[in-house]
Each structure stands twice: as C-alpha cells, then as structure tokens.
Amino acid sequence: MCGIVGYIGKEQAAPIILDGLARLEYRGYDSAGMAVYDGEKICTRKAIGRLKVLENITRGGESMPGTCGIGHTRWATHGAPSQRNAHPHTNEAGTIALVHNGIIENYIPLKKKMEEKGYRFVSETDTEVLAHLLDYYYRQDPLEAITKVLHRVEGSYALGILFADHPGEIYAARKDSPLIVGQNDTGCLIASDVPAILKYTRTVYYMENQEVAVLRGDSLSFYSMDEEEVAKEPATIDWDADAAEKAGYEHFMLKEMYEQPRTIVDTVSPRLRDNGGEKDITIEELNMTDEELKAVRKIHIVACGSAYHAGVTGKYVLEGLARIPVEVDLASEYRYRNPLLEEGSLVIVISQSGETADTLAALRESKARGIRVLGIVNVVGSSIAREADACLYTWAGPEIAVATTKAYSAQLAALYLLAMKFGRVRGVLTDTEFRSLSDSLKCLPDQIELLLGQKQKIQRFANRYLGARDIFFIGRGIDYAISLEGSLKLKEISYIHSEAYAAGELKHGTISLIEDGTLVVAVSTQPELYQKTISNIVEVKARGAFVMAVTNEENKAVEKVSDYVVYLPGTHPRFTNSLAIIPLQLFAYYVALGRGCDVDKPRNLAKSVTVE
Ligand code: AGP
C-alpha cells in the first residue's frame, strides 16, 4: 500500500515528512515524492526507487523550505513505477497538489470526461484524475471542491491535498483507505498509519469514511461530505513502533489475513461493474479481444507453491465456468519437460512477487514457443509483470509475511474473474448464472470477515495439536486444491509434517500412515461429493484418526462422523476455496504461534525465490 505523511506547523515540513515516510517503508513502495508550500508556490519533487533517492535530491528536505507539505511513497497499482507516475500529482497550473492511497475504480470514465474538457494527463495513474477534477470544481473554496469531487468518485482513497492559495492549510479525506490525523505543540500531521507520526505525537484522530479534515498550524477541523462540521475525540496511541507497523496485530501474517476482505474488494470491484443494471466484467489489462478469448482452446497454468495451489483451484473454476481444458504445472517441472503447447493455447503464470525464477523461466519458455502468456501478479512492474504479454494485477498491496495469505486470496479472485469473463464471452454462462456468480463474488469479503471472527475457537483447537507429528488434509475436486494450500500453510510456518491428499486416493497407500489420534482435516464443500467425503472420513476414523471437518453449513451429516466441524457460509460451489482457506490459515497460524515459531519469517524460506 502507499504511504502518506503531511505536516503543517512551526517546523520545516520536508524533514518531518521524509522521516515519517521512512517509517512507512515496511509497506513496500517503488517511488516517492513531496510537495511543500515555499511561501509563494507549491514545490514538488519526485523520485523513483528508494526513499534515499528523494532524500538525496532534496538534501534531506533542505532544498524544499516551508512549514506546510505532503509526502508519499507509492505502491504501484495503475501505471508502472516511474517518475511521472509517482505522487504528488498536480493540476496543470501546479496550484493544487495531492497524494493518494487507494484505487479510484471509475477513473477511466472520469479521465475520458476530463480529457474531453481539455485536461491533459501526464501520468498513467488513477490518482491524477482527482487533481484535474479538483481544478475543475475549484472556486477558491477547497472544502466545496473536495466534496464535489468525492461525490463523483467510486473506490477507495486516503488523500492529502494542498491548495496554493490556502498556504496555511492541509486538506485530508478518506474512504476505505486508512488515514489518521495527529497534533502536537508545534503543529498538525496526517499519516496513512501510526508508525509515521509516533515520534511526533501519540494524540491521534482516526478519520471515518467520507470525512474531510482541515489542518492548520494550530487547529484541526473535521467535516462531513455535506460540509457540516464534525466533532471528534482524540485517541492516545500506546503501541511501540514495532507493534505499530503491524497495526497492532502480533504478526504481519495475521494482519494480512485480516486484510483479505479488502484485498478481494480491491481486486474485484474495479473489474466487476454495473453497466446500466447489467453486471459485466471489464479486465482492461487482459489485452485480448472477445474473439481472441473465444479462440483459446487450452489453458496451461504454471506457478510455484501457493500460487500453484491457486492454479489448481483455477483449473476447477475455469473448466467449470468456461468449459476450457486446463492443465496445471509446477513451474520447476514445466520449464524442463519440453511442454506440448498446441496452437490456441494460453499460458497463465501466477506469482505474488513477479520474480520467482522458475515461474519467470516458464514464462520465457512459453513465449519462445510463440504462446501468449498472461500474468497474474501482485507486484506492479515486476519482471513477470513486464515480460508477460498481459498482466492481471492482484491489488493485495505489499505482502510482508513469507507465508502468503492475502495475495493467494486475491489470486483466487482474479481467476474467478477470468473464468467468468471466458464463460460469458464463450456463451457458456447464462445471464442468470453470471448474475449469481457476481452476487456470490460480492459477498465473499463479508463472509471472510465472518470466518476470521472465529479465530479464538480455531486457536483453542490448534493448541491441542502443537505436538502433532503428522497432520493430513484431504478433499475431493476443488476441496483437494484447498487441502494442498492448507497443508502448505501448516508446514511452512509450524514445521509439522503434513500432506494433502485427494480423499479418494487414501486407500491407495497413505491410509497406512493413519494411527490413533492422527489429525485429518477433511474439506467438503461440494454437495455432489458430500457422501463420498463422509465415506473417506469414516475410513480414517476407523483407523483411529481425529477428524476436523471444514464444510458448508447445510452439510450437517458430516457432524455425525467428525470430531470437530468448522462450518462455512454458503457461496457458489466454485468459490468455496476462498472461504475454506480462512480456518486453515488460522489453524496453521495458531499452531505455529503455539510452537513458538517465527511466523512471519519461517526458517529456510524467502518471500521470493529468485534463484532456481
Ligand atoms: C507460500 O506461502 C510460499 N511463500 C511460497 O510457496 C510461494 O507461494 C511461492 O514461492 C511462489 O511465490 P510467488 O507467488 O511470489 O511466485
């Protein structure tokens, strides 16, 4: 996610902004910039790369004198990392400057309208459209202009805004992206997150959605979107800096698990839009016409680790919703097995980091054979994102914990969108089916929130298995795919041996490993397979297993044969992996926690495997 810091008061603003941005570096970024009012005009400086570059070109802020300014570290979503895409963005006259964290979902139609009015855009970002809209509505009343603009905007935003003819003020607004306001005896501050201003104040105001703040050197005011003043009480932060980076969560992994609802909204909403009451999917970056989508005869999904597991889910979803044959491959295998890629094949490579060596090699191998490659990537501007013929970004923001959670969930959401797009274009999905899928997709974030609320219950259960030697995950069909991911989560952070098995496969060998008290996690979310999986549960129970079932609320029959059941809210059968993974992530997290493992940085593992 991007980082925002602003200051207005008695001190020089630039050094405070640079210091605050440095405390937000953990959020990940690719460029940075500042805008400071120097007494006559707004000066803006931007630099691609590390914050150090901006610090050097501004001599630690000295070359940007002034006591009122805003700064930004950019995590690219729309528009690759570059100087011109870095924030702050300004109107053409340079009299309005703003920084933004979030996604303006309707920026394309807004940008088109502003261009028709003669506005010229210099960046590829969604943010720049806000600078020109503010210019369009500005009649020397910043609050009026801001509220008019925000009434037209869809999506998420945290904003810091300067107006050259209001030099003693910083304006701030937020919706769905966090923003806090701080105050001390020298002035006032805004920041995306607590760590940025902890050094300057522990007195903060948490802005609510669609509130606007006006910061002056010695005063603060808050307004609603109707420009009515809002009274707010300050809060006192008692976190230390380390806790603040994790927003109060004990680990980045837990924080990122809780960001999954937001991640799915950010990945899905800009692409699943209402066109006059009819929902439609627009994946601008696909770079494929409907004809080209119809011409795809086979899909090869290639990835590593959890991204591979997302690909296994993708096989069931794409074959189910679009009736396209799908083959899924581990990138490290694919790149050396001289794959048979027929005419009309599409290769999809999935990667959170966009730098995984095996996946990048698989991409290059496919392109060398003249096959189109689509990337599903989280890091904008990464090698895989740049070398793929097209890239569908998962807007999960930077993922710090080695064990992926929110990026994996965003990969699933991206695959759902792709399958729905293919299914619609190829006439496989009826309008009714498409609407049902769209409605289910929109419900996932709240359902995930609900499941995350079960963390205490899962923690109590997990604490019974801290000493386990083996834990098995079983499932049939798409439930096998999620068993793979649940097993990997457990292995990689708790170091307990675990295996995932297609439930029907147990009798062909593995069942010999089941002993008294062995924990078997059985996932069963496909109604047509409920009975089959119950039979498998009975099989392992007969050998002494303890069974934790993860199943749909309707599947009460499983209770009779299982020792512990986690129920999932109802969703479309192709989307159940997005829900089933939540209790499995929580289980892995609490087992690892109970075993005293380093949850965010497990032994022997790296966040991105950039070597073979
Ligand atoms: C998952 O929790 C692991 N961190 C690992 O399996 C990871 O998914 C794999 O290395 C692929 O990484 P990528 O998505 O960045 O390509």
Side-chain angles (χ1 to χ4, degrees):
M1 272 133 333
C2 307
I4 290 175
V5 178
Y7 173 81
I8 180 165
K10 299 177 191 133
E11 312 278 347
Q12 287 299 299
I16 294 174
I17 293 168
L18 287 168
D19 176 72
L21 291 177
R23 297 167 194 277
L24 296 179
E25 285 196 290
Y26 69 88
R27 297 162 69 96
Y29 66 99
D30 46 62
S31 53
M34 280 193 292
V36 177
Y37 184 78
D38 69 358
E40 288 170 19
K41 65 190 178 313
I42 296 173
C43 294
T44 301
R45 299 298 298 275
K46 310 196 255 191
I48 188 167
R50 307 309 296 164
L51 192 57
K52 205 79 192 134
V53 178
L54 183 66
E55 270 178 32
N56 293 341
I57 63 172
T58 61
R59 296 201 318 277
E62 278 177 26
S63 68
M64 297 184 79
T67 62
C68 173
I70 52 178
H72 188 266
T73 46
R74 181 176 183 245
W75 168 270
T77 54
H78 296 70
S82 67
Q83 178 99 5
R84 63 197 177 95
N85 287 336
H87 300 206
H89 288 287
T90 68
N91 61 339
E92 208 156 335
T95 54
I96 299 172
L98 72 94
V99 292
H100 168 229
N101 177 23
I103 290 177
I104 306 301
E105 296 173 3
N106 61 337
Y107 86 96
I108 291 174
L110 288 175
K111 181 170 179 176
K112 193 163 176 297
K113 285 197 177 76
M114 296 314 286
E115 286 174 328
E116 286 163 4
K117 291 180 190 315
Y119 283 86
R120 284 180 303 128
F121 284 72
V122 297
S123 81
E124 306 157 292
T125 67
D126 53 335
T127 302
E128 190 185 354
V129 78
L130 298 175
H132 298 308
L133 278 168
L134 284 168
D135 181 272
Y136 177 72
Y137 284 111
Y138 190 58
R139 303 286 180 278
Q140 283 61 53
D141 180 342
L143 188 59
E144 179 196 43
I146 290 168
T147 52
K148 280 185 175 174
V149 169
L150 298 185
H151 274 112
R152 291 190 61 185
V153 159
E154 293 168 22
S156 56
Y157 52 79
L159 299 172
I161 309 169
L162 297 183
F163 293 84
D165 57 359
H166 285 71
E169 295 167 351
I170 292 178
Y171 289 77
R174 70 147 295 199
K175 176 176 167 286
D176 295 339
S177 287
L179 193 65
I180 59 174
V181 177
Q183 188 168 24
N184 65 14
D185 52 8
T186 75
C188 297
L189 305 102
I190 57 169
S192 305
D193 206 351
V194 166
I197 58 174
L198 213 48
K199 172 182 169 185
Y200 303 98
T201 181
R202 287 183 177 271
T203 304
V204 300
Y205 297 80
Y206 289 97
M207 291 187 67
E208 301 298 333
N209 271 352
Q210 300 202 299
E211 271 182 351
V212 181
V214 184
L215 289 72
R216 298 179 183 87
D218 54 1
S219 73
L220 270 177
S221 315
F222 296 92
Y223 299 88
S224 69
M225 289 290 275
D226 301 326
E227 300 185 46
E228 281 159 14
E229 188 145 8
V230 174
K232 288 181 77 71
E233 287 306 311
T236 303
I237 300 288
D238 53 11
W239 294 336
D240 62 26
D242 180 55
E245 277 195 8
K246 303 179 187 94
Y249 288 98
E250 192 175 349
H251 296 101
F252 279 112
M253 184 177 172
L254 192 60
K255 173 171 175 278
E256 287 154 9
M257 282 157 63
Y258 273 75
E259 286 173 354
Q260 290 180 113
R262 172 85 253 146
T263 294
I264 289 180
V265 170
D266 285 349
T267 300
V268 170
S269 299
R271 295 157 169 149
L272 183 59
R273 307 190 57 69
D274 271 323
N275 289 337
E278 267 309 293
K279 284 207 174 28
D280 196 8
I281 286 194
T282 312
I283 309 179
E284 293 289 324
E285 60 273 41
L286 206 50
N287 277 346
M288 291 175 77
T289 63
D290 287 359
E291 289 320 305
E292 286 169 327
L293 291 172
K294 283 179 192 159
V296 172
R297 297 195 353 235
K298 180 166 186 182
I299 291 177
H300 294 259
I301 299 179
V302 189
C304 301
S306 293
Y308 166 77
H309 299 153
V312 178
T313 299
K315 170 184 173 64
Y316 290 100
V317 177
L318 281 157
E319 289 189 345
L321 301 184
R323 306 309 296 155
I324 301 178
V326 178
E327 200 173 315
V328 193
D329 254 309
L330 288 167
S332 53
E333 291 294 307
Y334 176 90
R335 64 183 290 194
Y336 294 116
R337 72 171 177 79
N338 191 15
L340 293 174
L341 299 172
E342 319 80 49
E343 177 94 16
S345 290
L346 170 68
V347 170
I348 300 176
V349 291
I350 305 175
S351 176
Q352 187 286 129
S353 62
E355 300 299 346
T356 300
D358 285 322
T359 310
L360 183 55
L363 176 156
R364 289 171 178 163
E365 179 69 22
S366 307
K367 289 189 72 175
R369 295 159 181 258
I371 300 293
R372 179 193 285 269
V373 178
L374 168 66
I376 296 180
V377 181
N378 193 44
V379 179
V380 175
S382 56
S383 303
I384 290 174
R386 277 182 287 107
E387 295 191 28
D389 296 303
C391 188
L392 203 174
Y393 282 118
T394 51
W395 287 319
E399 191 173 62
I400 314 292
V402 166
T404 181
T405 50
K406 63 175 185 174
Y408 166 81
S409 288
Q411 288 162 0
L412 294 186
L415 287 160
Y416 301 158
L417 288 169
L418 216 46
M420 290 166 67
K421 182 73 182 173
F422 270 107
R424 180 134 185 169
V425 163
R426 300 162 72 100
V428 175
L429 288 176
T430 65
D431 287 350
T432 309
E433 286 167 333
F434 187 85
R435 257 194 309 279
S436 160
L437 287 160
S438 304
D439 294 345
S440 296
L441 210 40
K442 291 270 182 183
C443 291
L444 284 181
D446 288 344
Q447 292 175 319
I448 289 171
E449 203 83 60
L450 212 61
L451 289 166
L452 288 166
Q454 295 189 27
K455 70 175 185 177
Q456 273 86 5
K457 173 185 165 194
I458 302 281
Q459 182 173 15
R460 281 196 299 275
F461 179 75
N463 285 338
R464 291 158 51 180
Y465 288 92
L466 305 185
R469 195 190 58 192
D470 305 295
I471 296 178
F472 294 94
F473 292 72
I474 64 171
R476 286 174 176 263
I478 207 166
D479 294 333
Y480 170 55
I482 202 62
S483 297
L484 288 167
E485 179 55 13
S487 175
L488 176 62
K489 284 281 106 24
L490 179 73
K491 275 182 277 201
E492 67 178 324
I493 62 174
S494 75
Y495 317 143
I496 289 178
H497 170 254
S498 173
E499 292 186 53
Y501 262 82
E505 191 58 11
L506 279 168
K507 53 188 168 301
H508 299 286
T510 312
I511 202 159
S512 66
L513 295 175
I514 306 297
E515 297 171 341
D516 256 356
T518 302
L519 176 62
V520 174
V521 181
V523 184
S524 176
T525 68
Q526 306 299 300
E528 72 279 8
L529 295 171
Y530 282 162
Q531 201 43 56
K532 291 290 178 194
T533 306
I534 283 178
S535 305
N536 297 129
I537 291 174
V538 170
E539 265 172 15
V540 294
K541 285 289 293 170
R543 274 88 179 166
F546 188 97
V547 173
M548 166 188 182
V550 177
T551 189
N552 302 335
E553 282 161 352
E554 65 176 18
N555 188 19
K556 298 296 185 206
V558 81
E559 214 162 276
K560 299 188 186 68
V561 295
S562 305
D563 301 287
Y564 181 79
V565 183
V566 176
Y567 285 111
L568 307 173
T571 185
H572 191 281
R574 304 288 178 209
F575 297 162
T576 57
N577 277 191
S578 293
L579 299 181
I581 191 56
I582 302 303
L584 302 188
Q585 288 170 347
L586 288 169
F587 177 70
Y589 173 79
Y590 284 114
V591 170
L593 191 65
R595 287 165 61 90
C597 298
D598 183 343
V599 173
D600 284 336
K601 298 187 186 70
R603 70 186 181 200
N604 311 334
L605 292 178
K607 182 59 185 169
S608 174
V609 184
T610 55
V611 293
E612 269 204 66

